[in-house]
Amino acid sequence: MTSTTSTSQAAASANPAPLFTPLPLGKRSARNRIFHAPMSVGYANPDGTVTDKEIEHYARRAQGGVGVVVTENFAISIAGKQMPLQTMVSDEEQLPGLRRLADEIRRHGALSIVQIVHSGRYAGPWDEYESRPRLAPSAIPFELTPGRVVTPQEITPEEIEEVIEEFVRAAQLCERAGFDGIGIHAAQGFLLAGFLSPRMNQRTDQWGGDFEGRTRLTLEVVRQVVANTGPDFVVGVHLLSDERVEGGWTLDDAVRLAPLLEDAGTDFLFGVPTTFETMRLPANQGMLSKPGFMLDDTTALQRAVKIPVVANGGLGEPNEAVRALESHQAVGLARPLFVDPDWPSKVQADASDTLRTCACDTALCLKTQLTGSLCEQWPESARSRGYLGYDEGTAQ
């Protein structure tokens, strides 16, 4: 398998200029409209602290020319941690590594955003699922992995208040570390997304029931984070756009919530369809491999708000990314930047024919997430080292 694949003639002839205009983001400004979208790579230490490998990974994507680097999801607590090598943002001990990460991203000219998460019913390690409580809005059984049905513990009102405090503390730690903002994870079936879902949230207290009750926690987290961080600190939300299952959270629900999030102080939105459970349903099979598979959802969200909604999902072909800006204010790329961090600089220089593309049938990046993600399309030196850093491509 070759390491480079030429783009189509149509893509090569597209005018990329719209991608490279500045983007207002809250009270800050990104140098262009390309986001490094969050993608779990698992480069942290087992104790959740930041590694040199992790710093170079994200800084290398900033060096490649993106306007905004959004990290993979960093856990706000041990109870909210999913992956064994997942970065934590929960206490003072993590600040030195976080500061180094923020500083290095800034050195290369990109805004730095940390995605923060409580994994809720998906908290790990999954091979020890029953050994400690997994918090969810309701104790609803679900298929954790194919053929394995488990039941999480219903979170108490007191624990809900603790989770709100943990989100705020994580945001404050990120601000102290020098990051430009955070993205609150309310998608993919994690804790906040679970509260949104009528299927997963069957509570009868103020945190459940109707639309107002089910959206209360996400809105409260946003309000409290905004109230307890500085006016220039960017706050985004990664929102479950459609659960894609009968009786679940719908795109209409997400479109209804989006303006409320904007009013609460949200500065940007990502829209993300399905949860880890519902993406396996027959009706959703193959969805993630289709170019622009999220665009219908994110376009509907963008029409509902004035803040940027980031188009994302299968937009690695430059012409598709440019076209997405006709209905969005920004574009997010995850795997395209994982395989080739110089995607922005190459596209801007009219060198799209040199892009190293994501054409991996075996999804090696997903198979290696638990130990540190690798890519089949990387040079052998990067695969052997375990990450693609400064000495691959553009000079440091």
Side-chain angles (χ1 to χ4, degrees):
M1 187 176 292
T2 59
S3 63
T4 61
T5 302
S6 295
T7 58
S8 67
Q9 184 62 38
S13 62
N15 179 7
L19 290 168
F20 297 97
T21 58
L23 173 70
L25 203 61
K27 293 187 178 181
R28 298 184 185 269
S29 178
R31 62 186 172 188
N32 62 48
R33 294 173 183 266
I34 304 170
F35 278 62
H36 173 278
M39 172 183 170
S40 293
V41 293
Y43 292 161
N45 285 312
D47 66 358
T49 54
V50 172
T51 64
D52 291 343
K53 174 180 178 179
E54 184 177 8
I55 292 170
E56 191 166 333
H57 164 75
Y58 285 113
R60 181 64 181 84
R61 275 69 197 169
Q63 184 193 47
V66 298
V68 183
V69 170
V70 185
T71 71
E72 65 200 285
N73 56 68
F74 290 4
I76 63 172
S77 65
I78 289 294
K81 185 177 180 181
Q82 181 190 24
M83 300 288 199
L85 299 178
Q86 184 174 9
T87 309
M88 300 284 296
V89 277
S90 58
D91 62 51
E92 301 274 337
E93 295 178 1
Q94 294 135 11
L95 271 174
L98 293 168
R99 285 196 178 104
R100 291 177 56 222
L101 175 56
D103 288 346
E104 193 68 359
I105 292 172
R106 183 185 305 108
R107 184 168 78 88
H108 294 291
L111 296 184
S112 56
I113 305 289
V114 174
Q115 186 185 65
I116 57 176
V117 71
H118 190 298
S119 297
R121 63 191 176 117
Y122 288 140
W126 289 0
D127 59 351
E128 302 174 5
Y129 197 90
E130 290 83 3
S131 66
R132 60 185 175 88
R134 298 305 196 281
L135 302 177
S138 301
I140 306 298
F142 72 100
E143 191 176 48
L144 178 67
T145 55
R148 184 184 181 193
V149 176
V150 297
T151 304
Q153 176 178 303
E154 181 171 305
I155 188 171
T156 67
E158 292 76 20
E159 288 169 330
I160 291 173
E161 296 296 339
E162 290 176 6
V163 165
I164 295 171
E165 293 173 2
E166 288 166 353
F167 270 107
V168 170
R169 181 171 65 246
Q172 290 174 327
L173 285 170
C174 290
E175 184 176 34
R176 289 173 58 193
F179 289 97
D180 296 296
I182 52 94
I184 296 165
H185 205 327
Q188 293 181 294
F190 293 134
L191 184 63
L192 299 186
F195 271 84
L196 298 177
S197 169
R199 296 173 60 248
M200 293 294 114
N201 183 351
Q202 298 183 10
R203 304 176 70 95
T204 57
D205 62 6
Q206 64 172 330
W207 305 104
D210 59 10
F211 177 88
E212 181 180 0
R214 287 184 286 107
T215 60
R216 188 185 307 278
L217 179 55
T218 298
L219 286 166
E220 187 62 19
V221 168
V222 171
R223 292 187 185 110
Q224 289 299 320
V225 167
V226 170
N228 288 281
T229 53
D232 295 338
F233 194 66
V234 177
V235 177
V237 173
H238 297 74
L239 176 64
L240 179 62
S241 59
D242 193 332
E243 205 170 351
R244 300 285 177 94
V245 64
E246 184 177 354
W249 176 261
T250 68
L251 180 57
D252 287 344
D253 292 326
V255 169
R256 182 180 173 187
L257 177 57
L260 302 179
L261 290 169
E262 183 175 26
D263 291 344
T266 300
D267 294 310
F268 71 89
L269 290 172
F270 272 76
V272 186
T274 73
T275 67
F276 293 118
E277 178 189 3
T278 62
M279 73 169 60
R280 298 196 299 262
L281 296 175
N284 297 326
Q285 290 293 312
M287 181 188 71
L288 301 184
S289 63
K290 297 177 181 178
F293 66 90
M294 298 185 189
L295 287 181
D296 287 346
D297 289 13
T298 53
T299 299
L301 291 170
Q302 185 65 86
R303 289 172 179 158
V305 294
K306 295 178 181 178
I307 58 175
V309 175
V310 183
N312 63 113
L315 298 177
E317 204 272 347
N319 196 45
E320 295 298 326
V322 173
R323 184 178 298 119
L325 287 185
E326 296 174 1
S327 54
H328 299 75
Q329 298 182 45
V331 171
L333 305 173
R335 292 192 192 182
L337 293 170
F338 187 64
V339 61
D340 193 341
D342 293 316
W343 192 102
S345 57
K346 288 179 178 179
V347 170
Q348 188 172 27
D350 195 23
S352 296
D353 58 332
T354 67
L355 286 173
R356 192 165 49 234
T357 61
C358 180
C360 178
D361 293 332
T362 58
L364 182 63
C365 59
L366 297 178
K367 289 184 176 182
T368 52
Q369 277 182 341
L370 297 181
T371 55
S373 289
L374 301 171
C375 178
E376 285 190 352
Q377 304 288 47
W378 284 349
E380 177 56 36
S381 56
R383 293 199 303 272
S384 298
R385 186 176 56 248
Y387 66 98
L388 193 153
Y390 285 136
D391 60 348
E392 301 290 349
T394 305
Q396 184 175 355

